[in-house]
Amino acid sequence: MKINIAIDGPSAAGKSTIAKSLAKQLNYIHLDTGAMYRSTAYKAVCSQISLEDENALVEMLKNTDITLTPEGKVFLDGEDVSSSIRTDQISLAASSVSRHPLVRSELVARQQKMAEKKGFIMDGRDIGTVVLKDAEVKIFMTASAEARAKRRYEQDKKLGLPTTDVETIAKEIAQRDYQDTHRAASPLVKAEDAVEIDTSDMTIEEVVNAILALCEPYLKEEHA
Ligand code: DC
């Protein structure tokens, strides 16, 4: 039997990078739930739907297909939006649409349906507290504001996105952190049974190994 792994934490703490690497090693499926909030925000912006209009956003979602492929690509109504949803504008817009309880319940239901079976590594803000409450391994991943801004800067460069300076990125991250931790609906908070990992001074390999060590007792059982 496989297990589920929940990874939550603030923006640019390294959640997706680590989840991808873990998925490869364990042969599990990685679901980047942030991509679903980003796709929702992207469609709303393109369709000139107000990010404040909860009912209009939910109506829009009724006719919206968001597909996450095992290779990490994101398709919105059939269009590859993998890069377009990673801009600073869409990052903030995603944080805004994610405040609405009805938007959240629609996307959470889809996430739970996708991960009905075990063998998933899901990353986001409410995975350990709401989406996969019964995940066997829960991680709360953090990193210093400085480390996170630098990482996002490098990632933007790699993706070929228009690069802003590290200070501007740091401001955008701080604004999103504030919004994501202060909203009424499922704010970012460490689940009681989550293990906190500060990745500021850790390599990707070190973080992956730390999580694999937490999974080991379950994986042993799996192979027993
Ligand atoms: O993980 P990310 O940076 O791609 O997420 C974009 C925004 O979506 C983030 O600022 C908050 C929101 N989000 C959320 O509220 N719940 C999730 N499970 C994932 C993301």
Side-chain angles (χ1 to χ4, degrees), residues 28 58 75 108 154 172 175 199 205 208 210:
Y28 277 23
V58 172
F75 287 89
V108 166
E154 295 301 332
E172 180 258 316
Q175 188 180 345
T199 67
E205 200 187 357
V208 168

Side-chain angles (χ1 to χ4, degrees), residues 78-91:
E79 184 197 341
D80 184 348
V81 294
S82 313
S83 305
S84 347
I85 57 168
R86 303 280 161 202
T87 63
D88 289 352
Q89 184 205 4
I90 299 303
S91 298

Side-chain angles (χ1 to χ4, degrees), residues 99-112:
R99 275 180 300 161
H100 301 299
L102 296 178
V103 169
R104 299 200 70 80
S105 51
E106 170 61 29
L107 295 183
V108 166
R110 293 188 194 193
Q111 291 153 11
Q112 288 173 330

Side-chain angles (χ1 to χ4, degrees), residues 143-179:
S144 69
E146 200 191 1
R148 292 193 283 136
K150 272 194 199 144
R151 283 179 192 162
R152 184 50 52 85
Y153 176 78
E154 295 301 332
Q155 191 185 48
D156 285 0
K157 246 188 5 195
K158 216 164 135 191
L159 287 174
L161 291 170
T163 42
T164 347
D165 54 288
V166 180
E167 287 74 32
T168 311
I169 294 177
K171 272 191 203 142
E172 180 258 316
I173 288 179
Q175 188 180 345
R176 272 209 294 151
D177 280 355
Y178 185 86
Q179 282 185 189

Side-chain angles (χ1 to χ4, degrees), residues 46-175:
C46 293
S47 323
Q48 295 183 321
I49 291 172
S50 163
L51 304 176
E52 306 303 319
D53 192 341
E54 182 168 20
N55 291 329
L57 289 167
V58 172
E59 265 317 297
M60 179 195 86
L61 275 178
K62 281 186 189 155
N63 300 304
T64 301
D65 178 67
I66 303 170
T67 303
L68 308 178
T69 73
E71 296 77 33
K73 292 230 172 278
V74 185
F75 287 89
L76 172 63
D77 297 328
E79 184 197 341
D80 184 348
V81 294
S82 313
S83 305
S84 347
I85 57 168
R86 303 280 161 202
T87 63
D88 289 352
Q89 184 205 4
I90 299 303
S91 298
L92 274 176
S95 177
S96 295
V97 300
S98 74
R99 275 180 300 161
H100 301 299
L102 296 178
V103 169
R104 299 200 70 80
S105 51
E106 170 61 29
L107 295 183
V108 166
R110 293 188 194 193
Q111 291 153 11
Q112 288 173 330
K113 190 148 196 293
M114 285 184 217
E116 255 168 4
K117 293 188 197 126
K118 298 270 180 179
F120 285 85
I121 302 164
M122 228 188 242
D123 78 279
R125 304 292 186 289
D126 59 343
I127 310 304
T129 51
V130 178
V131 185
L132 298 179
K133 262 191 186 158
D134 59 356
E136 284 80 358
V137 173
K138 296 184 184 178
I139 307 295
F140 192 75
M141 198 175 283
T142 61
S144 69
E146 200 191 1
R148 292 193 283 136
K150 272 194 199 144
R151 283 179 192 162
R152 184 50 52 85
Y153 176 78
E154 295 301 332
Q155 191 185 48
D156 285 0
K157 246 188 5 195
K158 216 164 135 191
L159 287 174
L161 291 170
T163 42
T164 347
D165 54 288
V166 180
E167 287 74 32
T168 311
I169 294 177
K171 272 191 203 142
E172 180 258 316
I173 288 179
Q175 188 180 345

